[in-house]
Amino acid sequence: MSKQGAFDLAFGVGGRIGKDDVLSAVDKYEKYHGYYGGEEDERKNNYTDMVNKYYDLCTSFYEYGWGESFHFAPRWKGESLQESIKRHEHFLALQLGLKPGQKVLDVGCGIGGPLREIARFSSTSVTGLNNNEYQISRGQVLNRKVGLDQTCNFVKSDFMKMPFPDNSFDAVYAIEATCHAPDPVGCYKEIYRVLKPGQCFAVYEWCMTDAYNPNNEEQKRIKEEIELGNGLPEIRSTQQCLEAARKAGFEVVWDKDLAEDSPVSWYMPLDTSHFSLSSFRLTAVGRLFTRNLVLALEYVGVAPKGSQRVQAFLEKAAEGLVGGAKKGIFTPMYFFLVRKPISDSQ
C-alpha cells in the first residue's frame, strides 16, 4: 500500500492545476461525461484535455488508496491485493518473454508502479510513456528512490502520436491505459509502428462484455458511471478491441477475459460489503474516513476547493465498477497478446 498520508493526499489534489483552479477544472471535467449530459464525440475530440484533467485531479487519491500501481488484478484465495497486483504485472512480463537488457515500452504508465516492478522482475530497461506531467514528476521521484533512474525513464507524449522511431522496442505493454484512446485502431497502429518485427504487444483492456445491453437503462447508467469516474471517452467491447488490433496489423496469439476465472473477485477491494485491514482505505469505513478527512481539509483550506467533488465522482466510479462486475457486463482485464509479423520490416 502507498506510504502517502493524508496531507500528501490533500496537497496532491489537482496535480499541476493551480489550487485556485481546481474547482473550475472539476466543473469542466464533469461536463464532458454522459452522466452529466456530455457527448461521446466531445470526449473523443478533447480526450487530451479530459484525461489530463482527470489524472491531475485523481492521482493523489489513487496513490493514497491503491498504491503505486493503478490497476486491478485476478486474485487467489489467501493472496493480498498488493501480491495479486505484482503477480498480474509478472504475468505480462512472462507472456512477452522478456529477457535481460531488452528495451520495453509501457504505454500509459501512470506513476510507474508496473514499470518498476517489471523492470526489476525481468532486468529490462523500461520507458514509460505518459501525457500527464504531474504523474511523470511523481514517477521520476519514485524511480530515484529505488535506484532505477539510470535504466528506466519517462517520456511525455500522446500515445496517439509517439515520438519514437519505427521498430524501436523489443516489447510493448499497456495496463488499463489504452482505454483512454479516442480511437483504438489509431492507438494500436502507433504501438505496431514502434515495435520491432516479430515482437509482441500485451495489454489489459477495460471493456464491456458480450452481456452488455446498450438499450438497458440501468446498464447504460453503470457504463456512464465508469466513464465519468475513470476519464474514459467510451468503453469498447472486447471484440471491438481485438478487431482494432487486427486492423492495426497485428497477429493475435491469444486472448481471454482474466476476470472470468479469478478465485477472488477483482472488485472485492471496492465492494462496500467487504472489510479488510490490509486494504482499509478502500473499505466502506476507510472511504467514509477519507470523505470526512477531505471535507475537513477543504474546509480549513489545506485541500483545494473541489476536492470533495473529485472524491464523489471516484466513489461513483467504484459503484459503477462493482455494479458492472456483478452483472457480468464489464471487465478491467480483457487480456490479449498480439505479434507484429516478422515480414513487416517497415
Side-chain angles (χ1 to χ4, degrees):
M1 186 61 69
S2 172
K3 295 180 181 178
Q4 292 283 90
F7 283 94
D8 296 306
L9 167 63
F11 286 116
V13 175
R16 292 301 176 92
I17 298 171
K19 188 174 180 179
D20 294 337
D21 298 324
V22 168
L23 184 59
S24 63
V26 174
D27 279 333
K28 186 170 182 181
Y29 172 78
E30 288 178 339
K31 287 174 183 175
Y32 277 128
H33 288 278
Y35 191 83
Y36 289 98
E39 298 293 333
E40 182 180 310
D41 285 346
E42 182 75 5
R43 294 195 295 279
K44 287 182 176 180
N45 291 336
N46 296 280
Y47 74 95
T48 299
D49 179 67
M50 180 188 70
V51 175
N52 261 308
K53 277 188 170 58
Y54 175 76
Y55 280 114
D56 273 331
L57 294 168
C58 298
T59 293
S60 64
F61 281 97
Y62 272 24
E63 197 172 351
Y64 175 80
W66 210 256
E68 295 177 17
S69 293
F70 304 161
H71 64 82
F72 296 102
R75 193 167 164 187
W76 292 101
K77 292 180 180 179
E79 186 177 44
S80 72
L81 174 61
Q82 293 304 309
E83 287 170 342
S84 70
I85 284 173
K86 287 186 177 183
R87 181 174 51 78
H88 203 42
E89 292 162 359
H90 295 173
F91 178 81
L92 276 187
L94 293 170
Q95 289 299 311
L96 288 167
L98 299 184
K99 297 177 177 61
Q102 286 187 323
K103 288 179 60 179
V104 181
L105 179 64
D106 180 333
V107 177
C109 63
I111 62 171
L115 176 156
R116 286 181 288 279
E117 187 64 32
I118 287 174
R120 288 179 290 199
F121 179 73
S122 60
S123 298
T124 52
S125 174
V126 186
T127 295
L129 185 73
N130 192 326
N131 208 21
N132 184 269
E133 190 174 342
Y134 176 67
Q135 287 199 332
I136 287 178
S137 68
R138 283 292 301 143
Q140 289 169 334
V141 169
L142 294 167
N143 273 13
R144 284 194 295 271
K145 280 186 177 180
V146 297
L148 286 176
D149 51 312
Q150 299 302 309
T151 56
C152 295
N153 68 308
F154 295 91
V155 173
K156 185 183 185 302
S157 183
D158 184 343
F159 52 40
M160 301 296 291
K161 302 178 287 246
M162 297 187 198
F164 309 115
D166 296 353
N167 309 323
S168 293
F169 294 96
D170 298 299
V172 181
Y173 67 85
I175 301 177
E176 302 181 20
T178 47
C179 50
H180 292 294
D183 169 24
V185 177
C187 179
Y188 295 158
K189 278 184 175 180
E190 272 295 271
I191 291 169
Y192 184 97
R193 181 183 65 79
V194 302
L195 183 63
K196 293 178 181 177
Q199 302 304 307
C200 290
F201 165 51
V203 63
Y204 296 134
E205 280 285 9
W206 281 34
C207 292
M208 305 311 292
T209 69
D210 292 342
Y212 173 66
N213 178 4
N215 297 315
N216 181 297
E217 287 302 314
E218 182 185 11
Q219 293 184 18
K220 184 180 176 183
R221 176 186 56 77
I222 287 171
K223 179 174 178 283
E224 288 177 347
E225 287 175 347
I226 298 172
E227 289 168 344
L228 165 69
N230 296 279
L232 305 178
E234 67 165 332
I235 309 175
R236 293 170 277 270
S237 71
T238 55
Q239 290 309 305
Q240 282 176 314
C241 286
L242 198 62
E243 183 58 27
R246 289 193 178 102
K247 286 181 178 178
F250 285 110
E251 299 171 342
V252 177
V253 179
W254 73 286
D255 71 294
K256 182 176 176 60
D257 179 3
L258 299 182
E260 292 177 349
D261 298 329
S262 180
V264 177
S265 300
W266 62 266
Y267 60 84
M268 190 176 71
L270 299 178
D271 191 341
T272 54
S273 65
H274 170 74
F275 182 82
S276 168
L277 285 175
S278 64
S279 304
F280 174 75
R281 292 175 179 178
L282 299 173
T283 64
V285 176
R287 280 151 63 177
L288 177 62
F289 173 80
T290 302
R291 194 179 309 128
N292 288 327
L293 174 69
V294 171
L295 176 66
L297 292 174
E298 185 174 328
Y299 179 78
V300 299
V302 175
K305 293 187 183 301
S307 297
Q308 296 174 70
R309 295 259 295 277
V310 178
Q311 168 80 10
F313 70 63
L314 289 174
E315 289 274 0
K316 187 61 65 178
E319 292 173 13
L321 289 166
V322 173
K326 287 184 174 180
K327 290 186 176 298
I329 62 173
F330 171 79
T331 177
M333 54 191 73
Y334 175 55
F335 167 82
F336 58 82
L337 180 70
V338 293
R339 179 182 292 112
K340 181 175 179 176
I342 296 176
S343 59
D344 191 339
S345 58
Q346 297 271 326

